[in-house]
Amino acid sequence: MFHHVSIGVSDLNRARQFYDAALEPLGYMRLSTSDKWLGYGAEQPQLWIKLAERPVVADMESGLHFCFVADSEESVRGFHAKATVSGGTDNGEPGIRPEYGSFYYAAFVIDPDGYRLEAFFHRPE
């Protein structure tokens, strides 16, 4: 449905370090770089990180989060591990989420600007 998503951050260098590390295990990489934005994806940028004067204020109760598709449980674990050592905060360790389905394997982190992120793998039956 979406062609891309853009989010604003207060520190582009900090965001680059975080997203370069966190998205690598999922097979996504930085494909575009400037002094005002970063673009991430597998083949073309689909997540744009932009330097913003007034980024959206982090709100844990807003319901807003972004979920990345993973190709294995190992990549979900890698996402969580690299995100939490690169400036992110744990918001749910890797594991099955029975409340979402018996085959829903995911991990959750909060990026340095307060955005809630998820990596998800649909475990085969």
Side-chain angles (χ1 to χ4, degrees):
M1 175 188 296
F2 297 110
H3 180 266
H4 69 274
V5 172
S6 299
I7 61 173
V9 298
S10 60
D11 183 328
L12 199 60
N13 187 51
R14 179 181 70 184
R16 178 189 53 75
Q17 292 172 350
F18 173 81
Y19 282 96
D20 281 3
L23 296 180
E24 182 270 330
L26 302 174
Y28 306 123
M29 64 189 110
R30 184 165 27 100
L31 300 172
S32 182
T33 305
S34 88
D35 59 342
K36 299 205 188 278
W37 71 77
L38 308 166
Y40 291 87
E43 296 177 18
Q44 66 183 30
Q46 292 179 279
L47 173 64
W48 290 95
I49 312 292
K50 297 185 176 195
L51 185 59
E53 276 188 41
R54 295 182 319 166
V56 172
V57 177
D59 181 353
M60 290 299 294
E61 302 302 318
S62 72
L64 176 68
H65 85 279
F66 299 97
C67 181
F68 299 100
V69 175
D71 62 5
S72 68
E73 291 179 23
E74 181 180 343
S75 61
V76 170
R77 289 189 297 272
F79 160 81
H80 185 268
K82 287 194 171 191
T84 56
V85 299
S86 298
T89 304
D90 170 48
N91 196 32
E93 292 188 2
I96 291 290
R97 299 295 192 267
E99 64 273 29
Y100 303 141
S102 59
F103 306 105
Y104 198 104
Y105 191 88
F108 301 85
V109 298
I110 302 168
D111 87 347
D113 280 274
Y115 290 103
R116 295 180 321 130
L117 309 174
E118 173 184 357
F120 155 76
F121 172 67
H122 185 264
R123 198 181 214 189
E125 296 182 34

